Amino acid sequence: MNIAMIGHKRVPGREGGVEVVVEELAGQLTAMGHTVTLYNRAAKGAPKCSEYAGARIVTVPTVNKKSLDAVIYSFLATLHALFGGYDVIHYHALGPSVMLALPHFLGKRTVATVHGLDWQRAKWGGFGTWYLKLGEKVIARYADEVIVLSENVQRYFRETYGRETTLIPNGVAQPTRRPAQIIREKYGLEPNGYVLFLARIVPEKGLHYLLEAYRSLNTGKKLVIAGGDSHSGGYYEEMCQKADEDARTVRTGFVRGAEKGELFTNAALYVLPSDLEGMPISLLEAMSYGTPCLVSDIPENTQLLGEFGASFAHGDTAALAEALNRAMQTPPPAGEAQADYIRQNYSWEKNARDTLALYQRAAARRRWADF
């Protein structure tokens, strides 16, 4: 098949969950022999390339402004894709999916992945929230096939729009466990000597709860904060300032590759105190390393944990502090059994096969409707 993907920022460049999904899915599909075109967003200073891992890259101009970025990019990407001869155009996330209506009315086949109910995120204002909800409605009404990442969102689309969706969980790559070398030299970190928060530093990830809870603990373990900003309206700077007030806290910024692998391998505990998730890839990654995990009790987190890890009442700092203290003394179930559970149930290969089946179903349905 000839497939286009619209909605991510840039590939390669794992700035968020959408980018990880697009990169991994495209790699799997090209390995199967399909043709994939990825519509990247232009950004000042970002490297431009025409191909990555077998996929063609088309870089689309846009503006570096939160309220207009996705609007301009997805409109221009869609115009280009309309003349690309694609069997299916796959939109990722709510905002870019507003433009899905254009190919739909021109008889093109479309698939949309809802990575989360983005309008619930704290960073969006009036126009942003309205536009994201519009994307949600467009998806529900016009997409040939809709992919969701959690049972919670699947239930939401059924109850709100009467729209049936297909649940296709994210995958995770086979991890390579690494001794503490880079992180020891750069940050003075030792195996089992720190608690890890690894995620984008945005309000819905709940870092503010973790900083407050950690400050109340009497522990020699460090708190490592690994992640970058994402149009968070000053939240990132506020969290950096609060983190720097405690000498036990280490900020690494955005990490990837061997350094990221070392952080997951050697952490005493991975913590994700989020208020809102689609399907947290960072939690999948932590679990794949066999790292003990502590998460907020939102369904998207606890369903992923299964019988492993531990949870606390989301948004409750006192409950988080108590759970942290307990987990550092007696780590929750994890280890090789947890890693095996992730390997058996969450793979990018299965994700790609299931997604391809939807492409083929959408193409067949549209051909029959045209006939």
Side-chain angles (χ1 to χ4, degrees), residues 242-253:
K242 286 189 175 182
D244 292 344
E245 292 172 359
D246 192 323
R248 299 172 298 172
T249 301
V250 176
R251 289 194 293 112
T252 68

Side-chain angles (χ1 to χ4, degrees), residues 153-164:
V153 174
Q154 188 172 45
R155 184 167 51 251
Y156 170 82
F157 267 78
R158 184 182 300 118
E159 294 175 354
T160 305
Y161 302 105
R163 177 65 196 250
E164 291 302 322

Side-chain angles (χ1 to χ4, degrees), residues 102-168:
L102 293 176
H104 169 80
F105 287 123
L106 292 172
K108 306 295 183 182
R109 294 166 281 281
T110 60
V111 172
T113 295
V114 180
H115 292 261
L117 302 179
D118 295 335
W119 50 267
Q120 296 178 344
R121 302 183 190 278
K123 70 179 182 179
W124 298 111
F127 173 76
T129 299
W130 172 83
Y131 192 78
L132 291 168
K133 287 185 176 180
L134 176 62
E136 180 179 289
K137 292 173 183 176
V138 168
I139 289 171
R141 184 166 184 178
Y142 298 124
D144 290 306
E145 297 288 345
V146 181
I147 298 169
V148 296
L149 308 184
S150 71
E151 294 175 0
N152 196 37
V153 174
Q154 188 172 45
R155 184 167 51 251
Y156 170 82
F157 267 78
R158 184 182 300 118
E159 294 175 354
T160 305
Y161 302 105
R163 177 65 196 250
E164 291 302 322
T165 62
T166 301
L167 175 60
I168 301 180

Side-chain angles (χ1 to χ4, degrees), residues 11-59:
V11 170
R14 300 190 164 202
E15 299 174 51
V18 175
E19 288 69 40
V20 173
V21 171
V22 170
E23 181 175 325
E24 294 287 351
L25 177 57
Q28 292 288 337
L29 291 170
T30 57
M32 294 176 186
H34 303 282
T35 301
V36 180
T37 299
L38 306 179
Y39 284 88
N40 276 6
R41 306 186 199 190
K44 186 177 181 180
K48 291 184 180 180
C49 56
S50 59
E51 185 271 342
Y52 180 75
R56 181 170 73 111
I57 304 290
V58 175
T59 300

